Amino acid sequence: MVEGRRAALRADRPVLRVAAFRGADDELDELTLAASAIDEEGVDLLVVLGGVGRKKNEVVAHLEALSRTKKPIVLVPGGDESLEALDDGIGALDRETRARLVDGRSTYVLELGGLEWVLVPGAPAGRYAHSDEACGYDLDDLDARLRAVDAASAFTFAWAEPTAETGLPTRGVFAFPGGDAPDPRRVVVGPLAGPPHFLGEGYRESGPTLLEIGPEGPVVRGLIDFRGEARVVRPPAP
């Protein structure tokens, strides 16, 4: 799946099912339940936009739970992880899990659904990073990633929505919104599990977002509801 700075998920159909979410930070109790619900939805790929914890055991708990789906996992760290804990946690995983993991720090581009996706780890300009041990980026850090894609047609996976000044595509999937003029092809996802989270003008229930991604970009199919008796995908909130 990974070759050099690029990764690709190839399939015999144009539209792929993707579970996208921010990690649950230190809210670990529901990880296995959420991962099982993702598995039941028959997704092709999991995309994790930061939030996998500031301690080694939290990182391991997230990735071991998600690895039970036996699907590739794209991890794009955000501004709330400790880089040391992240490296230690990934290093503690078994070989099979590490082989299915795409680390957005070392992989710049993902080919998915007939599109190129730029993987942008960290907090913009270091803003919102929880400490000096967390990942942040400056404009200079983006040069190699931007050279690897056609920014006019690419999409972005990132913890925080990029601003126009970065040169990154503002269309894509993000854990935190930003910018004065949101792109209509922008999708904001919430945490995998844990308590309700604030988004926009109110609180929303946590849970993985089910996307269908094809040549036209991401389409939200709903939230994977893993807490009820029937694990159904609810339509997205208006």
Side-chain angles (χ1 to χ4, degrees), residues 186-217:
R186 177 197 76 175
V187 174
V188 179
V189 299
L192 170 66
H197 63 105
F198 186 79
L199 182 64
E201 298 180 353
Y203 284 87
R204 296 188 182 182
E205 189 175 348
S206 62
T209 298
L210 180 63
L211 305 174
E212 290 185 349
I213 295 181
E216 302 302 317

Side-chain angles (χ1 to χ4, degrees), residues 91-102:
L93 302 173
D94 62 65
R95 182 178 300 179
E96 181 183 355
T97 300
R98 291 199 306 271
R100 290 196 303 271
L101 181 67
V102 177

Side-chain angles (χ1 to χ4, degrees), residues 21-39 46 48 50-53 55-69 191-194 206-208 226-227 231:
F21 46 88
R22 172 166 53 93
D25 298 311
D26 58 355
E27 299 282 346
L28 307 180
D29 293 344
E30 296 179 317
L31 293 184
T32 299
L33 191 60
S36 296
I38 291 172
D39 192 32
L46 286 68
V48 189
V52 294
K55 300 177 181 178
K56 175 183 174 180
N57 71 296
E58 295 167 355
V59 176
V60 171
H62 274 85
L63 297 179
E64 285 189 342
L66 296 173
S67 72
R68 293 171 186 156
T69 65
L192 170 66
S206 62
F226 59 86
R227 296 180 178 90
R231 293 174 180 167

Side-chain angles (χ1 to χ4, degrees), residues 47-112:
V47 176
V48 189
L49 303 176
V52 294
R54 300 176 184 175
K55 300 177 181 178
K56 175 183 174 180
N57 71 296
E58 295 167 355
V59 176
V60 171
H62 274 85
L63 297 179
E64 285 189 342
L66 296 173
S67 72
R68 293 171 186 156
T69 65
K70 303 297 184 183
K71 299 298 182 183
I73 301 169
V74 175
L75 172 61
V76 184
D80 48 7
E81 285 97 350
S82 158
L83 294 179
E84 181 179 358
L86 194 61
D87 289 337
D88 289 347
I90 291 174
L93 302 173
D94 62 65
R95 182 178 300 179
E96 181 183 355
T97 300
R98 291 199 306 271
R100 290 196 303 271
L101 181 67
V102 177
D103 189 334
R105 293 174 296 172
S106 56
T107 301
Y108 295 171
V109 181
L110 173 67
E111 298 175 19
L112 174 67

Side-chain angles (χ1 to χ4, degrees), residues 74-182:
V74 175
L75 172 61
V76 184
D80 48 7
E81 285 97 350
S82 158
L83 294 179
E84 181 179 358
L86 194 61
D87 289 337
D88 289 347
I90 291 174
L93 302 173
D94 62 65
R95 182 178 300 179
E96 181 183 355
T97 300
R98 291 199 306 271
R100 290 196 303 271
L101 181 67
V102 177
D103 189 334
R105 293 174 296 172
S106 56
T107 301
Y108 295 171
V109 181
L110 173 67
E111 298 175 19
L112 174 67
L115 299 168
E116 289 185 322
W117 291 76
V118 190
L119 307 181
V120 184
R127 294 192 302 272
Y128 318 116
H130 83 89
S131 75
D132 290 340
E133 295 180 353
C135 186
Y137 66 82
D138 292 317
L139 296 183
D140 291 344
D141 297 323
L142 302 175
D143 287 346
R145 295 175 191 267
L146 289 171
R147 287 197 303 269
V149 297
D150 178 1
S153 59
F155 284 67
T156 300
F157 281 126
W159 180 70
E161 181 182 356
T163 59
E165 68 178 357
T166 62
L168 292 165
T170 54
R171 55 190 170 272
V173 181
F174 313 106
F176 291 101
D180 297 327

